[in-house]
């Protein structure tokens, strides 16, 4: 569980850094309110849709659906950022960051809730959260090294 949280939290750090850096470079800081509008509307719709789906399918299947969606959308954004429509993908990167955070946290904490009973949770949830802080440290170093090499 710590490794899972470390992995998804590292993705959060890398996506957040690139999302807002590219957005501000392409549109300027004066356009940030529009990014936040897209985050509020689109991320909420996707989270609501996922929660509706998860009520209708088995737990393990909902985890696979969620992770498949996240992987597919990461691939779509990766391709989109290299396409003629890259400006649209840059505009939607802040939305994608928040959606990634929402859905990946659903995977981690939904799985943790099923894997541990209350007494175990009191002991291990703090350790699981440590994966997030380790990811922030490692992700920060990775981002700095990526930017230093370009």
């Amino acid at each position: 569980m710590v490794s899972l949280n470390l992995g998804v939290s590292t993705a959060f750090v890398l996506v957040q850094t690139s999302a807002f850096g590219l957005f501000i470079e392409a549109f300027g800081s004066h356009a940030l309110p529009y990014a936040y509008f897209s985050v509020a509307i689109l991320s909420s719709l996707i989270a609501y849709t996922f929660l509706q789906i998860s009520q209708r399918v088995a737990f393990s299947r909902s985890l696979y659906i969620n992770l498949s969606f996240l992987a597919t959308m990461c691939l779509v954004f990766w391709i989109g950022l290299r396409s003629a429509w890259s400006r649209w993908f840059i505009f939607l990167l802040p939305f994608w960051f928040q959606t990634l955070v929402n859905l990946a946290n659903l995977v981690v904490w939904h799985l943790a809730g099923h894997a541990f009973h209350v007494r175990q949770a009191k002991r291990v949830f703090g350790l699981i959260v440590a994966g997030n802080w380790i990811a922030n440290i490692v992700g920060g170093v990775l981002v700095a090294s990526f930017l230093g090499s370009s």
Side-chain angles (χ1 to χ4, degrees):
M1 291 299 305
V2 175
S3 298
L4 176 62
N5 199 21
L6 175 68
V8 298
S9 295
T10 301
F12 300 163
V13 172
L14 297 176
V15 171
Q16 181 182 29
T17 303
S18 60
F20 287 96
L22 289 171
F23 184 91
I24 290 172
E25 181 182 344
F27 299 102
S29 60
H30 66 280
L32 277 172
Y34 300 110
Y36 292 128
F37 289 143
S38 76
V39 167
I41 294 167
L42 298 174
S43 292
S44 298
L45 285 173
I46 288 178
Y48 175 79
T49 301
F50 176 76
L51 291 172
Q52 293 300 312
I53 290 169
S54 68
Q55 290 178 354
R56 291 173 172 70
V57 299
F59 168 70
S60 60
R61 185 173 168 99
S62 71
L63 290 178
Y64 285 118
I65 290 169
N66 189 341
L67 291 172
S68 298
F69 175 76
L70 290 173
T72 302
M73 289 306 295
C74 282
L75 182 62
V76 166
F77 269 85
W78 184 73
I79 292 168
L81 288 168
R82 287 157 177 71
S83 73
W85 300 297
S86 63
R87 197 156 163 86
W88 282 103
F89 282 93
I90 290 171
F91 182 81
L92 291 173
L93 272 174
F95 141 73
W96 176 241
F97 160 71
Q98 191 60 53
T99 301
L100 178 67
V101 169
N102 291 348
L103 294 182
N105 275 325
L106 283 174
V107 169
V108 171
W109 295 110
H110 198 185
L111 182 59
H114 277 76
F116 303 107
H117 58 71
V118 175
R119 293 182 94 182
Q120 291 172 322
K122 287 180 181 182
R123 290 193 318 265
V124 299
F125 278 15
L127 183 61
I128 295 170
V129 170
N132 179 283
W133 295 111
I134 294 167
N136 281 296
I137 294 166
V138 172
V141 170
L142 287 175
V143 166
S145 66
F146 291 157
L147 294 176
S149 64
S150 58

